[in-house]
Amino acid sequence: MERADPVAGPDEAVVAVMAASVNPSDVKNIAGRMEGTVLPRIPGRDFAGIVVDGPADWLDAEVWGTGGDIEFTRDGSHAELLVVPAAALVRKPERLGFAEASVVGVTFMTGWLGAVETARLTPGETIAVFGVAGGAGTRIAGRRHPRPCRPAEQHVSPIRRFTMTRSAVDAEALRSTAEAIRTSPVRGRFTFRVDGDWGGGFRLTSRVGALTHGGDTDTARSGRFVMNSDEPTQVLGTDMAVSPTEWVLQALAGCYTVTIAANAALRGISLRAVHLDLEGDVDLSGFLGLDPAARPGIGHIRVAVTLDAPDATAAELENLIEAVQQRSVVRDTLVRPVAVTTTLRRA
């Protein structure tokens, strides 16, 4: 598709793209599987090129870059010309050609954020690398990694959904929070918000709204996280996002994780891993009005919780799961009647 050549606005620069890489996220993005993307959108996050418009001191400079809002809220690098914030310009190392420079960004940043920023890897530590043949795995395990480490495992292994591998909940902070709420019950009251817009078919894009805590509203959270939903093709959706029913299961799994981690910390139970398997049964006869006896909603949810806590007794873990069933916010929402008020607003 031909489009007019972009012009640099204030604090912007236009880069003539000489090379750009293709990442899995680029494909997912144009398919609508990445949160926060405004479609239609030209994909592409990594690039290397020459500045052709913008600040005078950057004209004709060879630059490279990645990430930010590129391909999400502004068009990406899979085009001849790319508009980027002038503050994001970085000169390309002379020793790298355009093609070499264009394949570094996403994979290196993923490896760095995972190994250094999140795991806080230190020199000499041993790290297990899953999917070492991929771009990020190669960056982590490669000899030129900025913090050399010993890869313990170099093979592809599936990562199971809803898995938590460490317990880092501050038990004292939990107790202090409980005491503060006991002293002032209003501090335990929250109002969560979500707003959403129809995307055609069965698709919806939602965003988190302001959070009210103890009567004070925090608007800084508005729009920070985006959620997309669709339906599987078996129920006439386009299968471009998580289904609403799966979001319910995810909400329950997330709340179980919070409740397990919090109660384990308070009880002095050390968790090495938590895994949850969830299933939910739906009969569309109720949704379609074909069977008055069939409920439209989920009829039965089954949750299997696997705990890796070698120092805990069977009785301690049974009591932990019993506490989870009694205190999980989302489980309580599902098993007890909740007032749901729906109002009509004319656009």
Side-chain angles (χ1 to χ4, degrees):
M1 180 177 66
E2 291 293 331
R3 302 177 66 172
D5 289 350
V7 177
D11 302 320
E12 291 184 330
V14 177
V15 177
V17 179
M18 306 303 293
S21 65
V22 178
N23 293 288
S25 57
D26 301 330
V27 179
K28 293 178 182 177
N29 212 354
I30 60 175
R33 294 178 182 267
M34 299 290 285
E35 295 182 352
T37 301
V38 181
L39 299 175
R41 181 67 58 209
I42 296 173
R45 301 173 71 186
D46 295 339
F47 68 91
I50 301 172
V51 178
V52 296
D53 188 18
D57 56 337
W58 280 100
L59 292 178
D60 299 322
E62 295 184 354
V63 297
W64 64 336
T66 186
D69 57 352
I70 296 175
E71 94 163 1
F72 292 98
T73 58
R74 69 168 71 224
D75 285 331
S77 60
H78 295 173
E80 294 176 320
L81 298 172
L82 170 68
V83 180
V84 298
L89 292 174
V90 178
R91 295 184 186 274
K92 177 182 70 64
E94 293 183 1
R95 67 180 181 274
L96 295 181
F98 287 111
E100 294 172 308
S102 72
V103 298
V104 175
V106 168
T107 56
F108 181 86
M109 291 304 298
T110 301
W112 177 273
L113 290 172
V116 179
E117 297 292 332
T118 302
R120 300 188 181 278
L121 187 69
T122 58
E125 286 188 316
T126 299
I127 184 173
V129 180
F130 296 87
V132 73
T138 301
R139 296 289 184 263
I140 295 173
R143 293 182 180 179
R144 295 186 181 274
H145 191 273
R147 298 190 181 181
C149 56
R150 299 187 300 273
E153 300 289 341
Q154 296 192 8
H155 62 275
V156 177
S157 177
I159 303 298
R160 303 178 73 184
R161 184 175 295 176
F162 305 140
T163 299
M164 180 174 61
T165 58
R166 66 179 66 187
S167 178
V169 178
D170 188 334
E172 288 306 313
L174 281 172
R175 293 188 179 97
S176 297
T177 299
E179 183 58 33
I181 294 173
R182 184 179 293 109
T183 303
S184 177
V186 70
R187 298 181 67 176
R189 296 167 189 163
F190 291 79
T191 298
F192 294 85
R193 295 175 176 85
V194 170
D195 67 86
D197 292 295
W198 179 44
F202 293 151
R203 296 185 298 277
L204 178 77
T205 297
S206 299
R207 296 152 296 274
V208 297
L211 176 67
T212 298
H213 172 213
D216 297 324
T217 300
D218 177 14
T219 59
R221 218 166 170 268
S222 297
R224 182 179 298 176
F225 302 106
V226 178
M227 299 164 286
N228 293 299
S229 65
D230 193 4
E231 290 287 1
T233 55
Q234 292 87 340
V235 288
L236 305 182
T238 56
D239 205 16
M240 302 297 285
V242 177
S243 76
T245 301
E246 289 163 333
W247 274 119
V248 172
L249 298 181
Q250 159 62 19
L252 183 59
C255 192
Y256 262 40
T257 301
V258 171
T259 315
I260 289 170
N263 281 274
L266 290 172
R267 295 160 188 254
I269 297 175
S270 178
L271 298 173
R272 291 200 311 195
V274 178
H275 179 80
L276 298 93
D277 290 291
L278 295 90
E279 297 179 340
D281 301 329
V282 174
D283 184 351
L284 286 185
S285 296
F287 170 75
L288 296 172
L290 302 176
D291 182 0
R295 62 177 297 175
I298 301 174
H300 188 197
I301 294 176
R302 294 171 293 280
V303 184
V305 181
T306 302
L307 300 178
D308 185 357
D311 298 329
T313 66
E316 288 174 328
L317 296 183
E318 290 290 346
N319 290 336
L320 175 62
I321 295 303
E322 180 61 29
V324 169
Q325 295 200 93
Q326 295 299 321
R327 300 183 185 179
S328 165
V329 173
V330 174
R331 185 181 187 277
D332 181 76
T333 302
L334 293 171
V335 301
R336 295 205 298 176
V338 175
V340 178
T341 304
T342 305
T343 57
L344 172 65
R345 297 174 181 171
R346 297 294 297 268

